[in-house]
Amino acid sequence: MASIAIIGTGYVGLTTGACFSHLGHDVVCADIDEPKIARLQNGEIPIVEKGLDRLVDEGLRSGKLRFVVGAAEASKDAEFHYLCVPTPQGEDGAADLSYLEAAASEIAGVLPNDSVVVNKSTVPVGSTRVVARVLGRSDVAVVSNPEFLREGTAVADFLNPDRVVIGSRDQEAAIRVAALYSRVAAPIMVTDPVSAETIKYASNAFLASKLSFVNAIATLCEAVGADVNDVVLGMGYDSRIGREFLRPGPGWGGSCFPKDTKALARIAEDAGYDFSFLNEVLLVNEQQFDRTAAKIVDSVDAAAGQGHVAALGLTFKAGTDDLRDSPSIEVLKRVTAAGVKVRAYDPAVLVDDNHVGRIYPDLDIEIVGDPYTAAEGAASLAILTEWDEFTWLDFDKLAEIMGGRNIVDARNLLDDTIPRRRGFKYRGIGR
Ligand code: UDX
């Protein structure tokens, strides 16, 4: 088994470290955030990731997983060095590599001979050369090993991936990295670094394109009177299309798709290709936010503008507590801008923790602790994130406590016959 340093303990770094220790490797995870490292060393997991707490606990107990402050402290005794630091979107749309370069420069002087440095974070095409330049170590190989982890299922996605991609021109380094995954049952493909980095961006951009396409089809369905649920069901039987990632919604978001899709459009532009298709995918997504917000505002107007909107769901998808680039928030920004009051509930957002206010200080919405408090006196109820508990709402109770009889189901979560039977006007997406 190998000794691995993980630089950065966000959902990618923490998941990668915990899973590598589960696979039998000796892992040291480093972060600059000292209090966070103390909590992690104490087994406290700061993010919602199914199964992660169990793997961290297992690693701490076995001694296969440790947490330290500072990248150099982790890298000084390791053979592999995984860079899992943030690569946020810069002002100009390009990825900001300052954290990556800072991490590389911090470990350059302590890397043991013949180390392998691995880019796990989503980095622009050509970043292995950037890291190699910063390291300035001819005895150290730099390899791309992009992650395909979805938030909320990151552990399962790491241990049961559809594929492992390794980008390296150094065959021996590629084989050494591939060996880290020897206990993972998945195809391992080795290519050059630029192709590996492009696979990551192209995969995310394709998935975002698929979602914008299905959201556009939903709009078409509304225009022609088709039911999008049946349309996507009929499409999904075609193995070339597949059933996954065909759920219409309020638009797509999260900490990856928006950032990576914009970054790829920028990478293309810098390389001299006007990726207008991708810009249209981004535009359709913005329009989906607009359309969903308009449905909600119209539903309040239908109630003579009396009362607020009960917004159910703030996170960018169910199963996570991540609010970054959340479609729900994008929609609610537009709803509040139209002068409509919002009272919101999300099972992953604590009432007394200013979680929303910290990230979105300009968003003026009230946060409450349950869906019925949100719905009390509401002109309309909007489902914006597909939390399972919203499937089981008590519409008899809602009919009693709400001021209006309007439902905007932006995730097509509900069987619309249930609210309709109780006199609600149901508005879905594409149905
Ligand atoms: C994504 C990619 O799936 C993953 O491979 C990559 O490594 C990181 O980015 P993630 O951002 O965690 O993962 O979320 P994902 O499950 O892909 O959902 C992204 C957005 O699309 C969410 O807002 C989600 O609600 C939306 N979505 C997803 C839909 O609207 N409909 C769908 O059918 C699926």
Side-chain angles (χ1 to χ4, degrees):
M1 289 304 161
S3 60
I4 302 172
I6 303 287
I7 314 302
T9 58
Y11 96 91
V12 172
L14 192 49
T15 302
T16 299
C19 289
F20 268 146
S21 71
H22 177 66
L23 293 174
H25 302 300
D26 289 315
V27 178
V28 185
C29 297
D31 204 295
I32 53 176
D33 182 336
E34 198 160 343
K36 180 177 183 183
I37 287 296
R39 287 193 298 272
L40 286 168
Q41 189 59 37
N42 196 31
E44 294 167 40
I45 311 301
I47 52 175
V48 172
E49 273 304 337
K50 192 174 175 188
L52 185 57
D53 50 353
R54 186 174 57 77
L55 292 190
V56 167
D57 184 53
E58 174 195 85
L60 289 170
R61 289 173 189 278
S62 69
K64 288 279 186 187
L65 182 65
R66 288 189 300 119
F67 297 93
V68 297
V69 178
E73 183 59 26
S75 283
K76 62 187 176 53
D77 301 316
E79 179 186 358
F80 296 90
H81 311 265
Y82 269 77
L83 302 181
C84 303
V85 294
T87 52
Q89 185 185 324
E91 288 302 311
D92 58 359
D96 172 359
L97 294 185
S98 58
Y99 297 96
L100 190 75
E101 291 169 322
S105 60
E106 187 177 339
I107 63 176
V110 301
L111 291 175
N113 288 341
D114 299 329
S115 286
V116 178
V117 172
V118 185
N119 277 350
K120 177 56 88 175
S121 300
T122 304
V123 291
V125 172
S127 294
T128 43
R129 284 196 297 272
V130 170
V131 172
R133 175 176 47 74
V134 172
L135 290 174
R137 290 279 300 265
S138 58
D139 63 319
V140 171
V142 181
V143 172
S144 168
N145 176 213
E147 52 86 10
F148 299 97
L149 308 179
R150 290 166 295 174
E151 288 195 39
T153 58
V155 169
D157 291 344
F158 189 99
L159 295 175
N160 311 287
D162 290 330
R163 75 309 205 176
V164 174
V165 173
I166 296 170
S168 174
R169 291 198 179 287
D170 178 331
Q171 198 69 12
E172 193 240 340
I175 292 167
R176 287 167 65 192
V177 172
L180 298 177
Y181 294 91
S182 58
R183 291 176 59 192
V184 169
I188 296 183
M189 73 167 286
V190 178
T191 181
D192 65 273
V194 169
S195 300
E197 290 154 351
T198 304
I199 289 168
K200 168 66 186 179
Y201 276 109
S203 300
N204 268 11
F206 178 82
L207 291 167
S209 304
K210 189 172 183 183
L211 293 178
S212 277
F213 181 81
V214 80
N215 285 334
I217 288 293
T219 303
L220 173 69
C221 286
E222 290 175 15
V224 300
D227 182 330
V228 74
N229 282 354
D230 286 357
V231 169
V232 298
L233 178 65
M235 289 169 65
Y237 282 112
D238 185 323
S239 59
R240 295 167 300 172
I241 298 172
R243 292 189 177 84
E244 294 291 312
F245 257 70
L246 277 179
R247 294 194 318 274
W252 42 265
S255 62
C256 295
F257 277 3
K259 166 175 75 73
D260 293 352
T261 307
K262 288 170 190 162
L264 183 59
R266 177 61 196 273
I267 289 166
E269 184 189 341
D270 291 350
Y273 170 55
D274 174 13
F275 206 155
S276 56
F277 170 82
L278 208 48
N279 291 321
E280 191 62 26
V281 166
L282 287 158
L283 177 63
V284 165
N285 199 43
E286 289 295 316
Q287 291 167 345
Q288 194 70 2
F289 299 148
D290 298 340
R291 232 191 307 279
T292 306
K295 274 188 186 153
I296 294 171
V297 173
D298 293 349
S299 71
V300 173
D301 293 347
Q306 302 301 316
H308 63 281
V309 170
L312 302 188
L314 294 170
T315 55
F316 84 97
K317 66 173 183 175
T320 174
D321 62 347
D322 200 340
L323 292 168
R324 289 175 294 174
D325 279 307
S326 169
S328 311
I329 300 290
E330 285 302 322
V331 169
L332 293 179
K333 281 179 184 174
R334 290 159 172 80
V335 169
T336 52
V340 175
K341 289 280 178 222
V342 173
R343 191 183 300 160
Y345 162 74
D346 186 296
V349 175
L350 302 177
V351 178
D352 51 6
D353 168 28
N354 189 24
H355 187 171
V356 177
R358 281 197 305 274
I359 304 178
Y360 301 101
D362 300 333
L363 182 65
D364 178 18
I365 62 173
E366 181 190 357
I367 309 288
V368 295
D370 75 274
Y372 299 102
T373 305
E376 206 146 344
S380 180
L381 183 138
I383 296 177
L384 293 170
T385 305
E386 70 287 10
W387 289 103
D388 188 53
E389 66 179 78
F390 300 153
T391 311
W392 315 108
L393 290 168
D394 177 344
F395 279 91
D396 290 328
K397 183 174 180 178
L398 289 173
E400 276 173 27
I401 63 176
M402 283 179 66
R405 292 287 180 282
N406 297 288
I407 299 281
V408 176
D409 182 4
R411 294 284 185 165
N412 288 348
L413 194 65
L414 301 177
D415 169 354
D416 61 326
T417 57
I418 297 171
R420 291 187 200 280
R421 202 178 297 141
R422 286 161 183 75
F424 282 83
K425 178 170 173 41
Y426 175 93
R427 296 172 177 84
I429 302 285
R431 59 195 290 240

